[in-house]
Every structure is written in C-alpha cells, then in structure tokens.
C-alpha cells in the first residue's frame, strides 16, 4: 500500500542494470584515458604501485652479484615495461608482456635451461588489441594455464613483433577485472577494463565538477525591469535596437568603479547565491569513485585526511595490503620467470638452490623507525642467546632476517653461520673452567684426586705414553 519495494508500482520497478560494455570501445577508453585525469589516476596508480619498489632477492649471493643483477634489470627496463603491461591490462581489460630472448623462436615453448649468457633482452608490452589469441587452440595441460590460449598472434599494425606467433610460455599475461566464463568468451578470453565499473560514477563526478566551474562565472544574477519591454520586442526596428544598445552599454560599464544608467521607470536588482553544500556533493562523488576503484582518497586525489587526528595511515596500509595481494596473485609467476631468465643471462648459469624473490614493501619506514625496530629486535635476540634459549647460529639467522625490513645485519653470510655451528658450545651455567682461581692442580673433572678421571683423562694418558716412547 505504501508503494515501496520492488514490484509495488513505484519508480523502483523501472530500475535495472543496463548493457554498457565500455571495455569493447577501445577509442572511447583511450580518449577517456587521455582527457580525464581521474581515469588516468585509476589506471596508473595501482600499476605504478605494483612495480615501483621491485623485489628483494632471498639468496646467499654476494652483494656485488646482487648489484649486477639489479643493474641489468634497470638497463633492460624490466620494471617500467612490467608497469606498462599492468597499465594496459587495467585500461583495456588485458595485456601481455613478451619475454624477448635473443636467438630463440617465439612460437616454440620456453626452456629456461636453454637460455645462455646475454640472451635475455627484456619485456615487450602488447595490449589485447595488438594480439589475437588462438581461441581454437587452448592449453590442455593441467596447471594454471589450463584453458588459456596456446598462442598469441601479433597483428600486422602492432608496434613490434608484427605478424609473429608467440607461445604462451613466453608471455606474462595479465587480465583486467576477471569475468565469469561466458562474459570472458564474449571478450575473446580477456577480462574487463577497470574503467567500465566506475563509468556511471565518473560521469556524475565530471558533470558536478564542470557545473561548479560554470557557477563561478555566474555567481550572481542581474535583472532589469523595463516598462513596455514586450511591445519593444514585438515592434522591433530602431526602438528594439536602441534597447539592445542600452543593455550592452550597461553591461560594458558595470564594474567596480562604473555607473549604471537607467530610465527613471526602469528597475535594476541583483540576486546573489552561495555555493553552500556543493563541496560536500563533490566529496561524496569522489568517495564513490574511491570505493569503486579501491584506491583511498589520499592516494587517488592527493586529498589530506579530514577529522581529528586523521592521518590516512590506516587507509594507505589497507590499500598497500591490497596491492601486495595483487602482486602475489598476478605478478609473482611472471616475475619469478623474468628474474630466472635475468640470472641466467647475467651469470650464464642456473640460479642457486636457495634462490627466491619477495616483493619489496610499499610502506617504507623512516630512519628513526628502522633504528628503533633494529634495536628492539636485536636486544631481544641477544637476550635469548645470553639466556641460552637459542644457540649462536640461530641468533645469527634471526639477526639476518631483519635485513628485509630494516636493512640491518645484511652482511651475515652463510659462512659466518657455518663457523658459528663449528664452534664448541659455550660453558653451561655453574661450570668452572680449568685453571681458574682455586682450581690449581685439579684435573678436568674438577678434582685433585688422581683416581677421579676427567673427560680428557684418556687422551692425556695416551699423549704421555707417546712422549715416553719418543724419548
């Protein structure tokens, strides 16, 4: 009876989600990316955050070897190229990064062991509109690539590798927003652009912003009451032209120091209005875009947090946790493959057994925070070692583990830990070493009775016998 709810005869009955596949309109997406800074931020921000800090290599490699590896990655532009792959996958709904290996046929499966020194040449970004996946020839081997295209054919008008067929093992494939199966089929196996979901929120935000800008030009409304105006307009001619000239003169000279000349029977009035509440409307639209993209306002718009004691730190931490999850889910397999190729290309051999990579933390501690964390953790490890809860090798491993977060104790190598393992165990509490004050004349067992043999008594007797025979 109140006409509330779906099917009750109210306006809600006409509400529905329409069919607006923005992801298929490449030109519209490109113009939105070029002309709307909001779309540019949405596409670029996550891609840049996913690739700006790189990775940390977990291995007992010499520091100069790590430096050579990262220097080669910088020379080849590995991370800027990966950033492009992520960007175009977010804008278009899908993209691939081709692993360029000199001297190998792109249409053959990649064999990591066949890559020699100096063969890896970087990553070539290609978006979904530059390649045609082999939709009739799919991967049938069990694994994460099952059901994906086996080959990607580069179109003739692409910027590089024109007309070549690329095996799926030689690409790093990234989709935009994952879609259900039948929707994925309608997109040639690709995902959806991140811009499509926020399109209905983006248009109101831009409209409100443009409307607010227009209000600045017309912050007041001026009105003139002219007797017999309707008759002047209907008659026209010189009388009407004179009226128009009069109004134009008023507009031209109506300034801070000007005068407004009117007929005695005319009336002039000004109606001003304020922008109260308009900033809240724009903020609400901005928050909806932030929610649609998963990017906090402080990162998306560069907006300072509002409210008492608000710093935006919790928002950024949650956002960085989300970026870290996307790195692990979307980039890890490709980055591990790239750095495996990079190692073989730089050193001409297989990576060590303890080889592993970890994405660098996006949240960077200040020097004061690093020093505080280092002191607290180091003191805890030393206290555990002094209390004989842990041995020296374990203490060294715990200290070295801090290098990934604070940068301290990074020079503790496996050799130092091995030396610590070979050292004799420290004396237990209450043990008195031989030769200490009050222990003169006592044997290793701590007794001056010759009949009480210490732990090394047999070795002493054997040494004395050997010396006597030599004499």
């Amino acid at each position: 009876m109140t006409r509330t709810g779906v099917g009750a005869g109210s306006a809600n009955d006409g509400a529905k989600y329409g069919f607006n596949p923005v992801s298929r309109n490449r030109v519209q997406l490109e113009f939105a990316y070029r002309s709307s800074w909001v779309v540019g931020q949405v596409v670029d921000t996550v891609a840049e955050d996913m690739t700006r800090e790189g990775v940390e290599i977990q291995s007992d490699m010499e520091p100069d070897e790590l430096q050579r590896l990262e220097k080669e990655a910088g020379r080849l532009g590995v991370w800027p190229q990966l950033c492009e792959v992520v960007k175009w996958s977010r804008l278009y709904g899908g993209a691939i990064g081709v692993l360029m290996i000199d001297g190998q046929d792109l249409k053959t499966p990649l064999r990591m062991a066949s890559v020699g020194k100096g063969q890896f040449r970087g990553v070539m970004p290609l978006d979904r509109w530059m390649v045609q996946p082999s939709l009739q020839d799919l991967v049938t081997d069990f694994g994460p690539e099952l059901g994906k295209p086996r080959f990607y054919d580069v179109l003739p008008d692409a910027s590089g590798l024109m007309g070549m067929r690329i095996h799926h093992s030689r690409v790093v494939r990234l989709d935009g927003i994952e879609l259900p199966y039948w929707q994925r089929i309608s997109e040639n196996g690709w995902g959806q652009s991140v811009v499509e979901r926020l399109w209905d929120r983006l248009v109101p935000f831009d409209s409100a912003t443009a409307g607010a800008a227009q209000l600045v030009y017309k912050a007041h409304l001026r009105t003139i009451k002219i007797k017999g105006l309707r008759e002047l307009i209907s008659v026209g001619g010189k009388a009407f032209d004179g009226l128009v000239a009069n109004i134009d003169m008023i507009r031209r000279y109506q300034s801070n120091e000007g005068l407004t000349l009117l007929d005695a029977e005319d009336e002039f009035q000004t109606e001003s209005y304020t922008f109260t509440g308009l900033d809240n409307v724009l903020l609400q639209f901005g928050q909806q875009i932030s929610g649609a993209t998963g990017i906090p306002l402080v990162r998306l718009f560069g907006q300072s947090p509002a409210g008492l004691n608000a710093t935006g730190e919790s928002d950024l931490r949650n956002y960085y946790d989300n970026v870290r999850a996307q790195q692990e889910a979307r980039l890890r397999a490709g980055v591990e493959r790239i750095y495996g190729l990079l190692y073989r290309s730089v050193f001409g051999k297989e990576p060590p057994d303890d080889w592993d990579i970890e994405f660098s933390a996006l949240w960077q501690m200040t020097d004061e925070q690093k020093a505080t964390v280092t002191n607290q953790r180091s003191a805890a490890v030393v206290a555990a070692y002094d209390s004989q809860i842990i041995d020296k090798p374990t203490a060294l491993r715990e200290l070295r583990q801090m290098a990934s977060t604070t940068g301290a104790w990074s020079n503790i190598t496996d050799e130092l830990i091995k030396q610590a393992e070979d050292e004799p165990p420290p004396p237990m509490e209450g043990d008195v070493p031989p030769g200490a004050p009050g222990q003169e004349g006592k044997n290793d067992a701590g007794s001056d009775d010759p009949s009480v043999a210490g732990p090394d008594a047999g070795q002493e007797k054997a040494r004395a016998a050997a010396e006597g025979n030599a004499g």
Side-chain angles (χ1 to χ4, degrees):
M1 294 184 64
T2 60
R3 296 287 181 95
T4 57
V6 179
S10 64
N12 284 338
D13 293 345
K16 62 180 181 180
Y17 292 99
F19 182 72
N20 186 28
V22 179
S23 299
R24 301 182 189 176
N25 195 336
R26 177 182 63 84
V27 177
Q28 187 176 24
L29 285 175
E30 290 172 348
F31 279 120
Y33 180 75
R34 293 179 59 176
S35 59
S36 173
W37 70 273
V38 177
V39 174
Q41 282 285 90
V42 169
V43 172
D44 294 346
T45 298
V46 176
E48 292 170 355
D49 287 340
M50 289 178 68
T51 56
R52 65 180 168 88
E53 293 298 333
V55 296
E56 296 176 356
I57 300 175
Q58 308 292 329
S59 177
D60 188 29
M61 296 173 58
E62 295 296 331
D64 59 334
E65 292 182 343
L66 292 173
Q67 187 175 4
R68 285 179 58 189
L69 201 62
E70 291 300 334
K71 186 176 180 179
E72 181 67 8
R75 187 186 70 84
L76 295 175
V78 169
W79 288 106
Q81 291 164 346
L82 275 178
C83 183
E84 279 197 51
V85 176
V86 181
K87 280 184 182 180
W88 309 146
S89 69
R90 291 177 59 81
L91 177 63
Y92 296 115
I96 62 173
V98 182
L99 305 177
M100 297 183 293
I101 302 173
D102 189 25
Q104 294 195 6
D105 190 355
L106 291 176
K107 65 176 177 290
T108 61
L110 173 64
R111 292 184 299 111
M112 299 285 287
S114 65
V115 178
K117 193 170 184 179
Q119 281 191 288
F120 182 59
R121 299 299 177 85
V123 182
M124 177 67 182
L126 298 173
D127 63 64
R128 61 173 287 188
W129 300 105
M130 300 169 69
V131 296
Q132 175 61 42
S134 60
L135 301 178
Q136 305 302 322
D137 187 5
L138 305 179
V139 177
T140 57
D141 299 332
F142 288 169
E145 298 293 327
L146 178 63
K148 298 288 182 66
R150 189 182 303 274
F151 297 100
Y152 296 89
D153 296 316
V154 184
L155 300 180
D157 57 352
S159 59
L161 307 177
M162 293 82 72
M164 292 190 178
R165 167 162 280 206
I166 306 171
H167 193 265
H168 72 91
S169 61
R170 295 181 179 271
V171 304
V172 177
R173 173 180 169 139
L174 295 177
D175 291 336
I177 297 176
E178 299 288 346
L179 291 173
Y181 174 73
W182 291 112
Q183 289 297 317
R184 196 163 63 246
I185 292 298
S186 67
E187 298 292 339
N188 273 2
W190 300 103
Q192 171 184 286
S193 171
V194 296
V195 182
E196 183 170 329
R197 280 188 177 177
L198 63 93
W199 196 263
D200 61 336
R201 299 299 90 193
L202 180 65
V203 172
F205 178 82
D206 286 341
S207 301
T209 304
Q214 283 296 106
L215 289 177
V216 175
Y217 293 103
K218 298 177 63 177
H220 60 277
L221 185 65
R222 296 172 291 176
T223 306
I224 298 178
K225 295 182 180 180
I226 301 175
K227 185 177 180 179
L229 175 63
R230 187 174 292 107
E231 288 79 4
L232 288 173
I233 295 175
S234 61
V235 173
K238 293 184 178 180
F240 180 74
D241 294 340
L243 175 63
V244 173
N246 184 22
I247 298 299
D248 184 65
M249 184 191 68
I250 294 174
R251 180 191 59 80
R252 183 179 303 175
Y253 292 105
Q254 197 173 58
S255 61
N256 293 336
E257 299 179 356
L259 296 174
T260 301
L261 302 178
L262 295 174
D263 189 85
E265 296 185 0
D266 294 341
E267 294 182 13
F268 177 83
Q269 63 184 24
T270 303
E271 297 179 3
S272 301
Y273 50 87
T274 63
F275 301 96
T276 303
L278 189 59
D279 54 341
N280 292 329
V281 173
L282 292 174
L283 179 60
Q284 291 299 323
F285 283 140
Q287 288 177 346
Q288 291 186 10
I289 292 179
S290 175
T293 59
I295 306 174
L297 289 174
V298 66
R299 185 72 180 89
L300 182 61
F301 295 116
Q303 176 180 330
S304 300
L308 186 63
N309 296 328
T311 62
E313 181 176 331
S314 60
D315 296 340
L316 279 178
R317 286 189 179 275
N318 292 334
Y319 165 69
Y320 286 150
D321 289 343
N322 180 44
V323 172
R324 181 60 177 265
Q326 293 192 50
Q327 287 176 326
E328 293 291 339
R330 298 172 180 266
L331 281 184
R332 169 164 286 279
V335 171
E336 286 181 343
R337 203 181 322 165
I338 290 173
Y339 267 76
L341 294 171
L342 195 64
Y343 187 93
R344 290 171 173 84
S345 181
V346 172
F347 301 108
K349 59 182 180 180
E350 294 289 318
D353 294 335
D354 62 347
W355 171 272
D356 195 13
I357 63 170
E358 289 293 336
F359 289 100
S360 301
L362 295 176
W363 184 267
Q364 300 296 329
M365 292 188 294
T366 62
D367 292 339
E368 291 78 10
Q369 291 174 334
K370 289 181 180 180
T372 302
V373 172
T374 300
N375 292 334
Q376 292 176 349
R377 292 186 179 180
S378 300
V381 172
V382 172
Y385 173 70
D386 291 341
S387 302
Q388 298 183 354
I389 298 176
I390 59 176
D391 56 5
K392 187 175 180 180
T394 304
L396 291 176
R397 292 189 184 95
E398 291 292 333
L399 291 175
R400 188 175 66 174
Q401 195 172 3
M402 287 191 292
S404 60
T405 55
T406 65
W409 310 111
S410 60
N411 290 323
I412 298 178
T413 62
D414 286 345
E415 294 180 358
L416 293 176
I417 298 176
K418 178 64 176 175
Q419 292 176 6
E421 292 174 346
D422 294 338
E423 291 179 1
M428 299 297 292
E429 185 176 355
D431 290 350
V432 181
Q439 299 295 315
E440 296 84 355
K442 295 185 178 181
N443 56 23
D444 294 339
S447 174
D448 51 5
D449 186 356
S451 62
V452 180
D456 296 332
Q459 297 180 6
E460 291 294 335
K461 290 181 180 180
R463 188 181 302 112
E467 292 176 353
N469 292 333

